[in-house]
Amino acid sequence: MGEIANDATTNMALEKTIYIGPFVHCESLTELDVAVNGMIGVDEAGKIAFVLRDSKGKQIPVQEGWEDAKVVRVNARHGFFFPGFIDTHIHASQYPNAGIFGKSTLLDWLNTYTFPLERSFEDLKQAARVYNRVVARTLSHGTTTACYYATIHVPATNLLADICQSRGQRAFVGRVCMDTLGPDYYCDESAQYSLDLTKECINHIRQIDPDFELVTPIITPRFAPSCCKESLSLLGNLQAETNLPVQTHLCENKAEIQFVKAMFPDSKHYADVYDTAGLLTPKTILAHAVHLSPEEITLLKQRKSKISHCPASNTALTSGAAPIRHLLNSGLDIGLGTDVSGGYTTSLLAEAREAVMVSRHRAMLDGDEAKLSVEEALYLATRGGAKVVGLEDRIGGFEVGKDWDAQMVTFTDVGDEVELDLGEGLVDVFGPLGWSEKMEKWVFTGDDRNTVAVWVKGRLVHAREAFKV
Amino acid sequence: MGEIANDATTNMALEKTIYIGPFVHCESLTELDVAVNGMIGVDEAGKIAFVLRDSKGKQIPVQEGWEDAKVVRVNARHGFFFPGFIDTHIHASQYPNAGIFGKSTLLDWLNTYTFPLERSFEDLKQAARVYNRVVARTLSHGTTTACYYATIHVPATNLLADICQSRGQRAFVGRVCMDTLGPDYYCDESAQYSLDLTKECINHIRQIDPDFELVTPIITPRFAPSCCKESLSLLGNLQAETNLPVQTHLCENKAEIQFVKAMFPDSKHYADVYDTAGLLTPKTILAHAVHLSPEEITLLKQRKSKISHCPASNTALTSGAAPIRHLLNSGLDIGLGTDVSGGYTTSLLAEAREAVMVSRHRAMLDGDEAKLSVEEALYLATRGGAKVVGLEDRIGGFEVGKDWDAQMVTFTDVGDEVELDLGEGLVDVFGPLGWSEKMEKWVFTGDDRNTVAVWVKGRLVHAREAFKV
C-alpha cells in the first residue's frame, strides 16, 4: 500500500466547465435561494466565472470564451447542486472508534477510548490507512472542507496534510498539543516541546502548499485541561506571530468546567483561560460551547471568536443540548462539527439532522423559538461553517469569484416503480414536492448515496456510479 | 403496474436450511448472547429445528435427516445472523411524508401534513405504489414484523394486507377508525360505520390468512380525540368478542392530553378513557406513552398492556423524551416503533440509535441511570417488540421451535484497503473488535447496506447483491 492513494486527481489540469440544472444555496440563515434553471460557469482555476439564475432557452455558449467548455448537467428530476459541506470540528485520528462510546462522558471517554487509540498513530502505517479512509469517507458525504485534529505525532500529522492535498479536500490540519494531565504514554514532554512540534507541522504545510490554497495549518491546544498556562501562552504568541487559525474545545461538559475552574483558579471563567493566553481571536474555532455563561458569550462576541456546534457528540456523551438559538441571537458565528468520535457520524448531512433534533430537545425546555429549521441547519453546514473557518469570501455559496466547492445531489421519483433500486439510497419521492420539502427529505432520509459527485476548487474529488458526465 | 408485485417469493416451497456462522441475539434486557461458531437448522416450515452453539469441527449433517439441507454461511469476517426487527408502530400510509414535518407539533401536524395525505388512499393506485414501497423498504431494513396503521379506506387497507402476505412480511394491519373531529373530507360517518368497516377488513384477512400465520388484523381506534365514546365502546366489544389485538396512541403530547381531558371529563385520566371502553388489554399496543401519570403506569401494569416507544417521532414533533428507564423499572413491556411519518425513518436500526440518544437527553434530566445501552436498544427492537405484539413464543430470538425471522448482517475490515467500496455501506472496522463494540458500530454507523439478507418464517424476503448463497 502506498501511504497516499488517489493522487491522480490532484495535478490534472482543469477544464472550463458549465454546470446546468437547479442550484440551491442559503440566502440567509432562514431562507434558501433556489434557481431551478440555473447555469454556473467555472473557470480553469476552479472559480465561479458566471452565474445565470434563469438559463431557460439560452444557447450555450452564453458567454464568449466558453465555446469549448465541458458541460455537466444534473439530470435527475429531483437533482440539484448544493455547496459542499464544511465540517468545523473532526478528530481524524478517532475515526476507528466512530460509534463506540458506551455510556461514558467526556473525561472517562478520553481515558477509556480516545488516548489509547490516538497513541497508535506513532505507527505511520496506522495513520496512512485511517487518514486515507477518513478523507475519502468525508468527501463521499460531501464534506469539501474539514477542520481536523490529528494527534501529537508530527509524521502522522504531516501525512494527514499530504493526504488532504493529494485527495483534494480543503482542510485545516492541527497537530494536537497536550503537555499536562495526559496519560504517561500520550503527552508532550513540555510546553516548549508542544510549540516546537507545532512549528514543524506548520513548516511542512508551508512546503507542500505555500499559500495555503487547499491545506492550512491550525494551532491546536487540545483543551485547557491538557495544557499548562505556559503552553497556552506560547501557542497564543505563535498565533500573534503567524496569524494562523486556532482550534480548541470550550465548555463541553459540566465536570470539565469544574476541572478547569480548579486548575486555573485565577481565571474569571473557562473562556478567560484562553483569552489570557491570547488564544481568543477572530480566527479561533471553539468546539461545543454547550454551557457558556453570559460573561463568556459577551467575551466571545467581543473577540469575534467562532463556535463549532457538535450536536451528535453532545448527545452521545451526555454533555448537554447547546442553546444554539440563544447563541445565534447573541450574534455569534456558528458552524457544525461532526466531532468524530465523540460524534458517531462522519456525515455533515446527518449532523444537520442532529442539529434539528437537538434543537427540539432545547425547545422542550426553552419553548418553540429554540427550534432550528432544516434551512437553518443547512446554513450552519455551509455559509455558517465558511464564516467559522474564515473563508466566507471563498466558499459556502454560489457567487461569482467563489471557488466551486460543491456537491451534486440526486434522488428520483418513485413514480409507478414499486421495486427498490438497491443502489439508489433511501430518499423516496412520491409526486411533486416543493423545494423546502425536498430539502427536508434530503436532510432526514438522505445519505452519501444521494451525493453522487463532489468538487473542490473545481476538481472532481468524489463520484458515485450514478454520476455520469 | 400490478397492484401487488414480488409475489414470486411467497409460494415457493422451502428447503431445509442450515445457517452457519456467528449468531447474536438478546439473552436479557442488558446482555447479548453471542455464539461465534453457531449453526442453526431451519425446517421446511420455517421453524428452528436445532441450534448448535459451538459447531467448530462438526461435520455436516450434524443430525440425521439433514443430509440434503441447503447451507447458508455468513462469510464476512464481521458477519452475523441477528433476529429480524419488530416495528411496533408505523403508519404505512404516511410514508410519502417521511422527513417532512417542519416545526409542527402533533395536533397541527395532523391537519397540515397527515390527513390530506391519508385521504389520497381512496385511490387504490396510490395505495398500491406506497404500500408496496413501504413493505419493500422496511424489509430491506431487516423489519420482519410490522404493526401497520393504514387509513380509513377498506380497499386500500385490504390491499396492504395482501401486499404484506405477498411479499412475506409478518404484519398486523389496522384499518384506522376515526369518527369525530377529523376534517370533513377524512372521517367515518358514525361509530357504527367505523365498526362495520373494521369488520370488513378483519374478514378480508380471515380469507387470505385464516390462521393469521403471517398477517393479523388489529383493531385500530386512531386515538381518543378522534373517537367518540360510543365508537371506543363498540371497538372494545369487538375486542372482547374476537380477542384480536388493539393499537392506539396514548399520552404523546401535552396539548393532546389536555384535549382528551376536556373531551372526556368523566375519565380519571387519558388511559382511563380506553380502559372504560374495554380497550386496555394484554393485547393492546399503546404508542408513545411519553407523559404517563403514576396512576396510568399502575393501570397499564395491571392490564398488561404494551408500550411502543417512538423516540425519533417524539423528538421530531417536540412531544417529549419518554422516560423509558422508569417505564422498564415499572415492569411494563416495551418495544420500538418508527412511527413513520411523525418519525422520519423506516429503519428500526436507526430507531434503536434514536432510543439510545433520547435516553441521553433523559439522563441530562434524570441522571445516568436513564441511559439505555446499545444492547438494551437492540432488546427493545427484537425480544421487547416480540412481547409487545404477543409473539414472544415465535419470534425475537433463536430458540428451537421459533420461526426463522432473521437478518444476515455483514461489514468488512478496512484492513490495508484505503479506497472506499461504494457498495459496501458506512461501517468501517479497523482491527479486532469485541462483539459489544461490533454491535455499537452497527447501531451507530450501519444502515440497510449492512443487512444483506432477510428471512421471515424461513423464506428469503430480501437480498442485496452482496448476499450470495
Side-chain angles (χ1 to χ4, degrees), chain A residues 26-93:
Chain A
C26 297
E27 172 85 30
S28 66
L29 176 64
T30 54
E31 282 172 303
L32 290 175
D33 174 32
V34 182
V36 177
N37 297 297
M39 185 186 288
I40 296 179
V42 176
D43 68 19
E44 295 94 332
K47 283 202 184 305
I48 297 175
F50 65 86
V51 175
L52 278 184
R53 296 187 51 80
D54 187 2
S55 67
K56 212 171 178 177
K58 294 245 168 55
Q59 294 293 314
I60 297 175
V62 292
Q63 297 210 353
E64 213 177 319
W66 290 77
E67 291 76 9
D68 301 322
K70 193 164 106 179
V71 170
V72 174
R73 289 177 199 272
V74 57
N75 50 16
R77 183 163 159 204
H78 290 291
F80 56 93
F81 296 103
F82 196 79
F85 290 132
I86 298 160
D87 187 343
T88 58
H89 187 67
I90 172 169
H91 295 261
S93 55

Side-chain angles (χ1 to χ4, degrees), chain A residues 160-221:
Chain A
L160 175 57
D162 295 345
I163 289 168
C164 292
Q165 198 188 43
S166 160
R167 290 182 178 268
Q169 187 175 51
R170 198 183 294 277
F172 294 78
V173 174
R175 185 235 166 230
V176 176
C177 295
M178 45 190 291
D179 69 298
T180 187
L181 289 180
D184 290 344
Y185 63 80
Y186 189 62
C187 196
D188 290 336
E189 283 169 32
S190 68
Q192 184 61 42
Y193 196 71
S194 281
L195 178 71
D196 292 344
L197 297 191
T198 295
K199 285 181 177 172
E200 282 189 38
C201 291
I202 294 170
N203 287 338
H204 176 77
I205 295 175
R206 283 198 206 281
Q207 280 168 13
I208 64 169
D209 191 356
D211 299 321
F212 305 152
E213 272 297 309
L214 205 63
V215 183
T216 306
I218 184 163
I219 298 165
T220 306

Side-chain angles (χ1 to χ4, degrees), chain A residues 1 5-6 95-105 125 128-130 132-133 136-137 140-141 167 312 314-316 318-321 325 344 353-354 357-358 360-361 363-365 371-373 376 414-420 422 424-426 428 430-431 433 437 440-441 444-445 447-449 462-464, chain B residues 1 5-6 95-105 125 128-130 132-133 136-137 140-141 167 312 314-316 318-321 325 344 353-354 357-358 360-361 363-365 371-373 376 414-420 422 424-426 428 430-431 433 437 440-441 444-445 447-449 462-464:
Chain A
M1 177 184 66
N6 200 33
Y95 180 53
N97 275 350
I100 301 175
F101 54 90
K103 291 184 177 177
S104 61
T105 51
K125 194 175 167 217
R129 64 185 195 139
V130 174
N132 270 295
R133 196 81 173 185
R137 186 63 81 195
S140 79
H141 287 296
R167 290 182 178 268
N314 294 338
T315 300
T318 333
S319 302
R325 176 67 63 208
Y344 56 83
R353 179 160 70 234
E354 286 298 324
M357 295 290 268
V358 163
R360 298 300 183 275
H361 285 283
M364 291 173 203
L365 305 169
K371 292 183 187 181
L372 294 177
S373 65
E376 288 174 315
V414 172
D416 288 340
E417 182 50 54
V418 154
E419 300 308 321
L420 305 180
L422 293 179
E424 254 182 17
L426 302 177
D428 281 339
F430 299 81
L433 279 187
E437 291 170 322
E440 288 195 85
K441 277 263 175 211
F444 278 98
T445 69
D447 61 29
D448 58 304
R449 286 171 282 192
H462 172 76
R464 297 189 71 90
Chain B
M1 178 184 66
N6 199 33
Y95 180 53
N97 276 350
I100 301 175
F101 53 90
K103 291 185 178 177
S104 62
T105 52
K125 194 175 168 216
R129 65 185 195 138
V130 173
N132 270 295
R133 195 83 174 182
R137 186 62 81 194
S140 79
H141 287 296
R167 289 182 178 268
N314 294 338
T315 300
T318 334
S319 301
R325 175 69 62 207
Y344 56 84
R353 179 161 68 235
E354 287 297 325
M357 296 290 268
V358 163
R360 298 300 184 275
H361 285 283
M364 291 173 205
L365 304 170
K371 293 183 186 182
L372 295 177
S373 65
E376 289 175 314
V414 172
D416 287 339
E417 183 50 53
V418 154
E419 300 308 321
L420 304 179
L422 293 178
E424 254 182 17
L426 301 178
D428 281 338
F430 298 83
L433 279 186
E437 291 170 324
E440 288 194 84
K441 276 262 173 211
F444 277 97
T445 68
D447 61 29
D448 58 304
R449 286 170 282 191
H462 172 77
R464 298 188 70 89

Side-chain angles (χ1 to χ4, degrees), chain B residues 142-454:
Chain B
T143 298
T144 50
T145 299
C147 297
Y148 287 121
Y149 272 60
T151 61
I152 66 173
H153 312 97
V154 172
T157 302
N158 291 346
L159 180 62
L160 175 57
D162 296 345
I163 289 169
C164 292
Q165 198 187 45
S166 159
R167 289 182 178 268
Q169 187 176 52
R170 198 184 295 277
F172 295 79
V173 174
R175 185 234 167 233
V176 176
C177 295
M178 44 189 292
D179 68 298
T180 187
L181 289 180
D184 291 345
Y185 62 80
Y186 188 63
C187 196
D188 290 336
E189 283 169 32
S190 68
Q192 184 62 43
Y193 196 70
S194 280
L195 178 71
D196 293 344
L197 297 192
T198 295
K199 285 181 177 173
E200 281 190 39
C201 291
I202 294 170
N203 288 338
H204 176 77
I205 295 175
R206 281 196 206 282
Q207 283 168 11
I208 64 168
D209 190 356
D211 299 321
F212 306 151
E213 272 296 308
L214 204 63
V215 183
T216 306
I218 185 163
I219 298 165
T220 306
R222 182 172 206 113
F223 68 155
S226 291
C227 299
C228 71
K229 216 173 217 174
E230 186 196 354
S231 177
L232 294 172
S233 286
L234 289 173
L235 295 172
N237 295 343
L238 180 65
Q239 199 288 323
E241 288 161 22
T242 58
N243 197 28
L244 285 173
V246 175
Q247 62 184 352
T248 190
H249 300 81
L250 178 65
C251 293
E252 178 174 358
N253 162 297
K254 288 179 183 169
E256 170 212 19
I257 294 169
Q258 288 309 310
F259 193 92
V260 170
K261 200 170 177 175
M263 190 173 163
F264 298 91
D266 300 338
S267 294
K268 278 177 273 180
H269 41 60
Y270 194 161
D272 184 51
V273 174
Y274 296 135
D275 195 46
T276 304
L279 285 165
L280 281 195
T281 77
K283 301 184 89 169
T284 300
I285 304 169
L286 300 158
H288 303 298
V290 177
H291 307 282
L292 295 180
S293 66
E295 295 74 24
E296 287 174 301
I297 292 173
T298 303
L299 179 62
L300 298 190
K301 185 75 176 34
Q302 283 170 349
R303 298 291 182 261
K304 298 191 171 70
S305 297
K306 312 298 194 275
I307 305 286
S308 174
H309 174 43
C310 307
S313 167
N314 294 338
T315 300
L317 298 183
T318 334
S319 301
I324 294 306
R325 175 69 62 207
H326 178 60
L327 299 181
L328 286 168
N329 288 347
S330 303
L332 294 173
D333 290 320
I334 305 175
L336 293 183
T338 58
D339 191 31
V340 169
S341 68
Y344 56 84
T345 178
T346 45
S347 159
L348 217 65
L349 187 72
E351 200 67 35
R353 179 161 68 235
E354 287 297 325
V356 173
M357 296 290 268
V358 163
S359 80
R360 298 300 184 275
H361 285 283
R362 237 13 268 190
M364 291 173 205
L365 304 170
D366 301 346
D368 280 356
E369 212 249 332
K371 293 183 186 182
L372 295 177
S373 65
V374 160
E375 288 83 354
E376 289 175 314
L378 290 172
Y379 177 93
L380 298 181
T382 56
R383 297 234 193 237
K387 279 191 187 176
V388 166
V389 302
L391 294 178
E392 64 271 33
D393 294 335
R394 292 188 66 177
I395 57 174
F398 298 137
E399 286 89 32
V400 171
K402 285 210 165 79
D403 287 348
W404 180 249
D405 282 26
Q407 55 188 314
M408 183 195 283
V409 179
T410 66
F411 35 94
T412 49
D413 259 306
V414 172
D416 287 339
E417 183 50 53
V418 154
E419 300 308 321
L420 304 179
D421 175 338
L422 293 178
E424 254 182 17
L426 301 178
V427 184
D428 281 338
V429 175
F430 298 83
L433 279 186
W435 280 95
S436 184
E437 291 170 324
K438 281 188 202 184
M439 294 299 119
E440 288 194 84
K441 276 262 173 211
W442 181 37
V443 168
F444 277 97
T445 68
D447 61 29
D448 58 304
R449 286 170 282 191
N450 302 107
T451 292
V452 297
V454 182

Side-chain angles (χ1 to χ4, degrees), chain A residues 214-387:
Chain A
L214 205 63
V215 183
T216 306
I218 184 163
I219 298 165
T220 306
R222 182 171 206 114
F223 68 155
S226 290
C227 300
C228 70
K229 215 174 219 172
E230 186 197 351
S231 177
L232 294 172
S233 286
L234 289 174
L235 295 172
N237 294 344
L238 180 66
Q239 199 289 322
E241 287 159 25
T242 58
N243 197 28
L244 285 173
V246 175
Q247 62 184 352
T248 190
H249 300 80
L250 179 65
C251 294
E252 177 174 359
N253 162 298
K254 287 180 184 169
E256 170 213 18
I257 294 169
Q258 289 309 311
F259 193 93
V260 170
K261 200 170 177 174
M263 191 172 161
F264 298 90
D266 300 337
S267 293
K268 279 177 270 180
H269 41 60
Y270 196 160
D272 184 50
V273 174
Y274 296 134
D275 195 46
T276 304
L279 285 165
L280 282 194
T281 77
K283 300 184 91 167
T284 299
I285 303 169
L286 299 158
H288 304 297
V290 177
H291 306 283
L292 294 180
S293 66
E295 294 73 25
E296 286 174 302
I297 293 173
T298 303
L299 179 62
L300 298 190
K301 185 76 176 32
Q302 283 169 349
R303 297 291 181 260
K304 299 192 169 71
S305 297
K306 311 299 195 274
I307 305 286
S308 173
H309 174 42
C310 307
S313 168
N314 294 338
T315 300
L317 298 183
T318 333
S319 302
I324 294 304
R325 176 67 63 208
H326 178 60
L327 299 182
L328 286 168
N329 289 347
S330 303
L332 292 173
D333 289 321
I334 305 176
L336 293 183
T338 58
D339 191 30
V340 169
S341 68
Y344 56 83
T345 179
T346 43
S347 158
L348 216 66
L349 187 72
E351 200 68 36
R353 179 160 70 234
E354 286 298 324
V356 173
M357 295 290 268
V358 163
S359 80
R360 298 300 183 275
H361 285 283
R362 231 21 263 193
M364 291 173 203
L365 305 169
D366 301 344
D368 279 356
E369 211 249 331
K371 292 183 187 181
L372 294 177
S373 65
V374 160
E375 287 83 354
E376 288 174 315
L378 289 172
Y379 178 92
L380 298 181
T382 55
R383 298 235 192 235
K387 279 192 189 177

